[in-house]
Amino acid sequence: MSCRELHDQKVAQYLKDKRQDAGLSQGDVAKQLGYSSPQFISNWERGLAMPPLEAMKKLVDLYQIDREEFIELIISQSREYYQSQLGMERLGQKKRG
C-alpha cells in the first residue's frame, strides 16, 4: 500500500461510515449519483480513488455530512501526505538534519 493510500484510508473509512449511518448501500449511492455500478463507491471506500468534486457535493447532501468537517478531513489528509513526502513535520518547515 502506498503512502498516499494510507492517508486516503481515513477519508475512505469516513465515507463508508457516513454511508452506513445514512442507511444506504453502495448500490443505492451509485444510483443516486448516476453511476452504473457500485464499484465506484467501493473504490472510494477502500481508498483506491477519491470521489470527483461533483460527487463529493452530492455525497455531502446524501449522507448529511457536515461540510466543514468533511473539508477539514480532506485537507488534513492531504497535508499529512505532502508533509510525509517532503520529509516535513509541519508545512513550511525545512527538514531538520
Side-chain angles (χ1 to χ4, degrees), residues 31-92:
K31 286 178 189 174
Q32 292 266 351
L33 299 179
Y35 290 105
S36 59
S37 167
Q39 187 65 44
F40 292 99
I41 314 312
S42 175
N43 288 346
W44 301 341
E45 293 182 0
R46 291 183 295 140
L48 300 178
M50 287 290 286
L53 187 55
E54 286 303 314
M56 284 185 190
K57 290 178 187 178
K58 293 176 183 176
L59 290 173
V60 164
D61 292 331
L62 189 60
Y63 296 171
Q64 298 180 350
I65 294 173
D66 179 278
R67 283 173 166 73
E68 287 300 318
E69 177 182 81
F70 189 44
I71 290 167
E72 183 54 39
L73 177 64
I74 293 168
I75 290 170
S76 70
Q77 292 308 292
S78 294
R79 183 182 301 119
E80 287 179 24
Y81 168 73
Y82 287 109
Q83 287 171 343
S84 70
Q85 292 301 296
L86 296 171
M88 301 165 66
E89 292 182 23
R90 281 191 264 157
L91 201 57

Side-chain angles (χ1 to χ4, degrees), residues 10 12-23 45 63:
K10 287 183 183 177
Q13 188 62 50
Y14 179 86
L15 290 172
K16 181 177 181 178
D17 291 344
K18 293 299 182 181
R19 176 185 55 77
Q20 291 175 334
D21 290 348
E45 293 182 0
Y63 296 171

